[in-house]
């Protein structure tokens, strides 16, 4: 077992993160799959989450392309042909994607039949401390008899690509097992590529950086190879519990930790064959896990990073989507607007999860209305080599109404006001005065009132001046009242109150509309459009 003397950096551990953002930086490492020169086709698929999103794309710091996208629309950006970084050196070959509203970015590195897709993390999900998976190329090859080992010296190691994501000079330190430290300075938005020999332990910087491990031609079977690319998660986004997405191919497990693992039979930094039945792994300290097989290195999604809604993309051919969901609610996983109905769900021993693989092509939204799931996407090259990785996370929290891009937001008016003023205030600063008439709004209100003992606030409920019937006023729209939650003796007669308030025990009371109370304003979640299957 390796003894790693390192600092823990786990500030935001334990919360899932969406892959959407306003600011992205990445690079295209060399792809020499197939050992002979096809022209590479590298691209970025940029998908907008909102209408009228302006996206600017920079290469080497220079604006190359601008486009306005509507919600759900994908722009395929083809960078200049010299985008691939072959040299082990400092370079300016980075691509930045900057937008005025949220987008997600998938990078695609294609060389004939060899394709590698990778979710580009937004700036907000980058970090300043990354433990490096100690991948030793010769050790890896020795585990797979089908790999011939006939690689050229130039391809006999993995590569580490460090990109300065800030508009400041960044100071970078690489620590090795021997505790030897190398220091580098990186200009704004430039990158540094290094050979990895398995002795690197961590990379630390002053400002956020993106860190990518790659291999131009990872040996697979029958003299074929596949380009491999894995954008590392900063240690702060690691987990302690993992459900392995087992594939139908021999796979080994590689584990990276930033402190000593105790009481675990897995040695950090070495490859262990996966025993049949091992599908759930927990570690005492945060770790990152990779599944390795000829042509494939897949980073496992930690359980704490499971999310409610994912986007999967496949180019022309069919691909496999692997879904891990709680067994009790696995029948509620949606593919777009339909349930994922499958007879192949398998419960994973000693866990609350089940797993299934489905064949899909095109683009789909996979989501769950009540619990968090994990979704991976895979494709086969001709010859059976699989590639793929985690799908794009669009939404973190489950929402019964769809793929919610952000959870509902509640704000409270700063001062007490009459009901009409409160309605006006909420409509202009948010969406509406809250109407707990939907599951999602009701749970947001319950959550809010849990921390608001003995209070009374306005809600969007009032009587019609004509019929005296109660109705919901949601922004400019009104809606009939279906279920009610009046307190004892409520509602009183119209003279006593034409508007309604809510108490911290969730009951309603009729109140005169000119009474001054604080309003609870509600901003509805936004949903990603889901299509018919
Ligand atoms: C990598 O693995 C090879 C073969 O297993 C071994 O000889 C070599 O020492 C390893 N390199 C490092 C840096 O551990
Ligand atoms: C980076 O900083 C330079 C110098 O301060 C400035 O001219 C440039 O516009 C900045 N670039 C971006 C993308 O903010
Ligand atoms: C990228 O987007 C284009 C246009 O939507 C689509 O045809 C293609 O299949 C996508 N590529 C991948 C790998 O998802
Ligand atoms: C890819 O190959 C695996 C194993 O051979 C198989 O289970 C899977 O269905 C194949 N996927 C596609 C999309 O053909
Ligand atoms: C609501 O109505 C007001 C006044 O008629 C109008 O100015 C505003 O744009 C409307 N808001 C929405 C969201 O329709």
């Amino acid at each position: 077992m390796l003894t790693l003397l390192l600092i823990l950096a786990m500030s935001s551990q334990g919360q899932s993160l969406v892959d959407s953002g306003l600011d992205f930086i990445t690079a295209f490492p060399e792809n020499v799959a197939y050992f002979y020169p096809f022209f590479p086709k590298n691209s970025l698929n940029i998908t907008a989450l909102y209408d009228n999103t302006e996206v600017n794309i920079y290469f080497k710091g220079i604006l190359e392309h601008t486009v306005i996208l509507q919600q759900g629309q994908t722009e395929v950006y083809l960078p200049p042909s010299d985008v691939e970084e072959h040299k082990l050196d400092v370079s300016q070959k980075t691509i930045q994607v900057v937008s005025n509203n949220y987008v997600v970015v998938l990078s695609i590195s294609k060389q004939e039949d060899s394709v590698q897709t990778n979710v580009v993390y937004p700036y907000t999900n980058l970090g300043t401390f990354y433990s490096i998976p100690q991948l030793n190329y010769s050790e890896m090859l020795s585990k797979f008899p089908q790999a011939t080992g006939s690689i050229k010296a130039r391809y006999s190691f993995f590569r580490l690509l460090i990109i300065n994501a800030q508009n400041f000079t960044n100071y970078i330190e690489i620590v090795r097992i021997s505790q030897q430290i190398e220091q580098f300075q990186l200009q704004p938005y430039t990158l540094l590529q290094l050979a990895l020999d398995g002795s690197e332990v961590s990379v630390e910087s002053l400002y956020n950086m993106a860190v990518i491990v790659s291999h131009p031609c990872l040996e697979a079977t029958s003299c074929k190879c596949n380009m491999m690319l894995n954008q590392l998660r900063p240690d702060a986004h690691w987990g302690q519990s993992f459900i392995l997405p087992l594939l139908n191919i021999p796979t080994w497990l590689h584990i990276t930790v930033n402190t000593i693992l105790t009481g675990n039979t897995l040695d950090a930094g070495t490859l262990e064959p996966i025993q049949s039945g091992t599908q759930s792994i927990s570690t005492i300290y945060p770790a990152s896990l990779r599944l390795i097989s000829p042509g494939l290195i897949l980073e496992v999604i930690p359980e704490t990073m499971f999310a409610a809604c994912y986007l999967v993309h496949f180019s022309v051919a069919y691909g496999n989507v692997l879904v891990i969901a709680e067994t009790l609610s696995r029948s509620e996983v949606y593919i777009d607007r339909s349930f994922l109905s499958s007879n192949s769900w398998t419960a994973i021993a000693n866990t609350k999860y089940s797993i299934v693989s489905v064949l899909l092509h095109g683009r789909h939204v996979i989501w769950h209305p009540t619990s968090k799931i994990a979704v991976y996407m895979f494709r086969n090259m001709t010859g059976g080599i699989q590639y793929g990785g985690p799908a794009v996370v669009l939404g973190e929290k489950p929402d019964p109404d769809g793929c919610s891009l952000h959870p509902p937001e509640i704000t409270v008016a700063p001062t007490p006001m009459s009901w009409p003023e409160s309605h006006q205030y909420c409509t202009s600063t948010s969406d509406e005065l809250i109407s707990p008439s939907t599951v999602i709004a009701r749970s947001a209100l319950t959550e809010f009132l849990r921390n608001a003992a003995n209070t009374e606030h306005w809600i969007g409920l009032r009587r019609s001046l004509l019929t005296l019937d109660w109705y919901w006023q949601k922004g400019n729209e009104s809606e009939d009242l279906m279920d009610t939650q009046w307190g004892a003796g409520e509602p009183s007669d119209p003279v006593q109150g034409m508007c309604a308030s809510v108490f911290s025990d969730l009951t309603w009371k009729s109140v005169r509309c000119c009474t001054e109370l604080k309003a609870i304003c509600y901003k509805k979640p936004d949903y990603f459009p889901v299509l018919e299957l």
Side-chain angles (χ1 to χ4, degrees):
M1 187 180 295
L2 297 171
T3 307
L4 309 178
L5 302 170
L6 283 170
I7 328 97
L8 292 179
M10 38 176 172
S11 52
S12 67
Q13 204 210 322
Q15 91 199 40
S16 49
L17 297 167
V18 289
D19 291 323
S20 55
L22 305 173
D23 190 357
F24 299 77
I25 191 161
T26 192
F28 285 93
E30 186 177 21
N31 183 350
V32 294
Y34 278 76
F35 301 108
Y36 53 91
F38 280 108
F39 285 109
K41 283 188 190 144
N42 294 303
S43 60
L44 289 180
N45 268 17
I46 303 164
T47 304
L49 305 191
Y50 295 92
D51 281 340
N52 305 319
T53 300
E54 179 180 313
V55 183
N56 289 301
I57 303 165
Y58 300 79
F59 177 53
K60 297 186 183 170
I62 295 162
L63 182 65
E64 286 277 328
H65 187 63
T66 296
V67 65
I68 309 267
L69 298 175
Q70 302 309 317
Q71 187 181 50
Q73 197 184 343
T74 297
E75 172 78 357
V76 180
Y77 171 69
L78 302 173
S81 56
D82 66 338
V83 67
E84 281 187 18
E85 189 44 80
H86 302 229
K87 292 192 296 272
L88 299 176
D89 205 348
V90 170
S91 128
Q92 294 194 307
K93 291 188 178 179
T94 61
I95 298 192
Q96 277 172 275
V97 175
V98 181
S99 55
N100 66 357
N101 211 335
Y102 289 90
V103 298
V104 289
V105 180
L106 190 71
S107 81
I108 300 143
S109 204
K110 180 166 157 49
Q111 175 92 287
E112 254 321 270
D113 188 35
S114 160
V115 192
Q116 199 45 257
T117 56
N118 169 66
V119 179
V120 181
Y121 297 150
Y123 179 85
T124 45
N125 293 356
L126 302 178
T128 56
F129 188 94
Y130 295 77
S131 291
I132 301 171
Q134 298 185 317
L135 292 165
N136 175 336
Y137 197 70
S138 352
E139 185 203 352
M140 192 209 79
L141 278 191
S142 69
K143 308 292 187 186
F144 295 104
Q146 62 272 58
T148 56
S150 62
I151 29 149
K152 296 190 186 126
R154 187 172 162 210
Y155 305 130
S156 61
F157 47 82
F158 288 96
R159 299 172 184 185
L160 186 72
L161 215 144
I162 301 164
I163 307 172
N164 179 6
Q166 270 273 16
N167 199 7
F168 297 119
T169 302
N170 209 347
Y171 297 88
I172 290 169
E173 279 189 1
I174 295 182
V175 180
R176 298 188 181 274
I177 293 182
S178 58
Q179 309 240 340
Q180 180 202 340
I181 294 173
E182 278 170 86
Q183 293 177 319
F184 300 91
Q185 248 188 47
L186 270 185
Q187 294 310 307
Y189 311 129
T190 59
L191 65 82
L192 167 69
Q193 186 161 240
L194 302 163
L196 280 182
D197 69 4
S199 71
E200 299 79 5
V201 171
S202 67
V203 51
E204 193 169 359
S205 61
L206 201 54
Y207 306 114
N208 273 4
M209 56 185 160
V211 181
I212 293 170
V213 170
S214 81
H215 194 282
C217 187
L218 192 63
E219 277 213 50
T221 46
S222 51
C223 250
K224 283 191 171 176
C225 68
N226 196 18
M227 186 259 195
M228 185 292 287
L229 193 161
N230 171 206
Q231 178 166 8
L232 302 185
R233 297 174 193 275
D235 291 24
H237 302 161
W238 284 3
Q240 287 169 255
S241 158
F242 303 85
I243 306 293
L244 305 186
L246 289 193
L247 311 173
N248 297 327
I249 45 174
T251 318
W252 290 59
L253 184 67
H254 184 274
I255 176 162
T256 308
V257 291
N258 70 5
T259 182
I260 309 157
L261 267 191
T262 51
N264 196 308
T265 54
L266 292 166
D267 287 343
T270 60
L271 293 167
E272 307 270 350
I274 295 185
Q275 310 294 332
S276 59
T278 314
Q279 230 179 321
S280 134
I281 294 198
S282 51
T283 57
I284 290 173
Y285 298 105
S288 97
L289 265 52
R290 281 170 185 73
L291 291 178
I292 298 184
S293 134
L296 173 83
I297 293 193
L298 170 81
E299 187 166 352
V300 182
I301 307 172
E303 195 182 341
T304 43
M305 296 280 163
F306 283 17
C309 178
Y310 294 80
L311 182 68
V312 297
H313 281 268
F314 291 106
S315 31
V316 246
Y318 273 86
N320 285 97
V321 171
L322 221 144
V323 182
I324 297 172
E326 290 183 13
T327 304
L328 284 177
S329 60
R330 69 188 190 190
S331 60
E332 290 162 44
V333 174
Y334 279 90
I335 300 179
D336 304 315
R337 288 188 193 284
S338 314
F339 284 125
L340 183 171
S341 55
S342 171
N343 300 324
S344 329
W345 277 107
T346 316
I348 301 172
N350 307 318
T351 72
K352 60 180 179 181
Y353 294 102
S354 289
I355 187 165
V356 75
S357 172
V358 287
L359 273 181
L360 289 177
H361 77 78
R363 194 180 89 177
H364 302 278
V365 176
I366 316 261
W367 60 283
H368 198 289
T370 57
S371 66
K372 292 188 179 185
I373 58 177
V375 179
Y376 296 87
M377 45 189 183
F378 297 98
R379 245 207 65 195
N380 294 349
M381 288 164 57
T382 47
I385 304 169
Q386 300 198 3
Y387 68 85
V392 184
V393 179
L394 289 178
E396 182 203 335
K397 293 214 168 108
D399 183 315
D401 295 330
C403 175
S404 135
L405 296 171
H406 68 77
E409 287 164 27
I410 283 197
T411 45
V412 179
T415 51
M417 288 178 274
S418 69
W419 192 97
E421 285 164 347
S422 296
H423 164 64
Q424 180 66 39
Y425 175 83
C426 289
T427 312
S428 62
T429 60
S430 188
D431 282 340
E432 59 202 32
L433 189 51
I434 195 164
S435 295
S437 65
T438 61
V439 176
I440 196 78
R442 198 154 48 240
S443 70
L445 181 65
T446 310
E447 180 75 20
F448 167 75
L449 290 177
R450 188 172 296 150
N451 306 314
N454 302 319
T455 54
E456 183 182 5
H457 290 92
W458 282 128
I459 51 174
L461 184 59
R462 63 167 305 158
R463 282 188 199 263
S464 156
L465 295 172
L466 297 175
T467 64
L468 299 181
D469 289 337
W470 290 96
Y471 68 94
W472 294 114
Q473 183 65 48
K474 297 182 167 185
N476 285 354
E477 278 158 31
S478 50
E479 198 177 286
D480 290 345
L481 181 65
M482 309 298 272
D483 308 313
T484 62
Q485 208 158 329
W486 294 110
E490 294 293 335
S492 55
D493 62 71
V495 182
Q496 305 282 339
M498 294 283 283
C499 291
S501 65
V502 68
F503 281 87
S504 34
D505 66 357
L506 292 168
T507 60
W508 309 337
K509 180 186 171 202
S510 54
V511 186
R512 287 177 205 269
C513 299
C514 57
T515 308
E516 293 192 334
L517 293 177
K518 284 190 182 179
I520 303 175
C521 304
Y522 180 66
K523 188 160 169 46
K524 293 180 274 190
D526 286 310
Y527 297 95
F528 190 77
V530 295
L531 310 164
E532 294 299 339
L533 195 57

